[in-house]
């Protein structure tokens, strides 16, 4: 396993993403951050804290559980069970989905479906700490901490203080 990001590199990447979110959206009006469980949630919290430091405005953030929107789980009944963890009003808001790693794009697709199930967002954007390529769907993150070309056999692991006791990204 090789460390590709340490704690300082993660912090710099999140600061850059935070600034880019503010710039691209011309401020923070109508902005909502949704962290995709599990490691997207602490990243969303950190980005929210950065934006508060830079703009003096608290941006709402929450979490999104995409379990029931995954396309790799077989339907157990004819009637799909709809379960959504979004407890923030997304109608006419700019929603930034935040995940630790973007790979095939399937998690992003599921998160977009979950947002659309609860309301009509003005815009949905995607931020990720690591983009490793290999898309199976035509999705591209709007904000990226680091692009990391990988083979499909390699594994990228994001460890965060909040979940793992250390900030690092390793590949192997």
């Amino acid at each position: 396993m090789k460390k590709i990001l340490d704690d300082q590199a993660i912090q710099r990447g999140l600061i850059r993403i935070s600034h880019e979110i503010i710039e691209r959206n011309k401020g923070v009006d109508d902005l909502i951050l949704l962290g995709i469980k599990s490691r997207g949630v602490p990243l969303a919290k950190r980005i929210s804290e950065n934006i508060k430091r830079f703009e003096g405005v608290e941006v709402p953030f929450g979490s999104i559980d995409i379990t029931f929107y995954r396309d790799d789980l077989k339907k157990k009944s004819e009637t799909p069970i709809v379960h959504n963890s979004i407890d923030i009003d997304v109608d006419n808001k700019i929603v930034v989905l935040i995940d630790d790693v973007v790979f095939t794009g399937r998690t992003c697709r599921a998160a977009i479906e979950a947002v659309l199930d609860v309301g009509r967002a003005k815009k949905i954007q995607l931020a990720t700490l690591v983009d490793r390529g290999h898309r199976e769907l035509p999705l591209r993150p709007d904000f990226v901490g680091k692009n990391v070309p990988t083979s499909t056999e390699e594994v990228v692991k994001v460890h965060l203080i909040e979940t793992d006791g250390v900030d690092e990204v390793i590949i192997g």
Side-chain angles (χ1 to χ4, degrees):
M1 295 294 233
K2 176 183 170 194
K3 186 184 292 189
I4 56 173
L5 294 174
D6 62 11
D7 59 338
Q8 292 298 309
I10 290 172
Q11 182 179 355
R12 283 191 302 272
L14 293 177
I15 288 170
R16 186 175 56 258
I17 288 170
S18 303
H19 280 298
E20 288 174 359
I21 289 170
I22 295 165
E23 289 171 19
R24 172 110 21 111
N25 294 298
K26 297 175 177 54
V28 296
D29 293 340
D30 296 326
L31 191 66
I32 294 173
L33 306 175
L34 287 178
I36 300 173
K37 287 187 177 180
S38 63
R39 285 178 178 76
V41 176
L43 295 176
K45 184 175 192 294
R46 291 186 198 187
I47 290 170
S48 177
E49 290 167 353
N50 287 340
I51 291 173
K52 183 176 181 182
R53 228 178 23 252
F54 306 147
E55 296 291 301
V57 176
E58 223 167 292
V59 174
F61 79 93
S63 66
I64 182 169
D65 182 351
I66 55 100
T67 303
F68 295 100
Y69 293 89
R70 293 174 52 121
D71 62 5
D72 59 347
L73 299 177
K74 296 211 183 233
K75 301 277 190 240
K76 293 187 179 180
S77 69
E78 291 294 318
T79 310
I81 300 167
V82 176
H83 175 272
N84 205 307
S85 64
I86 302 171
D87 57 0
I88 297 175
D89 181 15
V90 300
D91 284 334
N92 209 30
K93 303 290 187 198
I94 299 168
V95 176
V96 181
L97 298 171
I98 300 167
D99 205 2
D100 58 343
V101 178
V102 174
F103 184 30
T104 63
R106 294 191 178 277
T107 297
C108 304
R109 183 217 41 88
I112 291 167
E113 275 189 44
V115 170
L116 295 175
D117 267 359
V118 296
R120 183 174 170 92
K122 183 188 312 182
K123 188 185 296 185
I124 299 175
Q125 299 171 332
L126 175 62
T128 186
L129 182 60
V130 176
D131 182 355
R132 60 175 292 193
H134 304 288
R135 285 313 170 272
E136 294 174 1
L137 300 172
L139 296 169
R140 184 176 57 93
D142 299 280
F143 314 102
V144 177
K146 183 166 181 73
N147 286 294
V148 180
T150 63
S151 75
T152 54
E153 289 77 37
E154 289 178 300
V155 176
V156 174
K157 291 189 179 181
V158 175
H159 297 142
L160 299 174
I161 292 267
E162 297 89 341
T163 55
D164 309 294
V166 64
D167 275 345
E168 66 181 4
V169 178
I170 55 176
I171 188 169

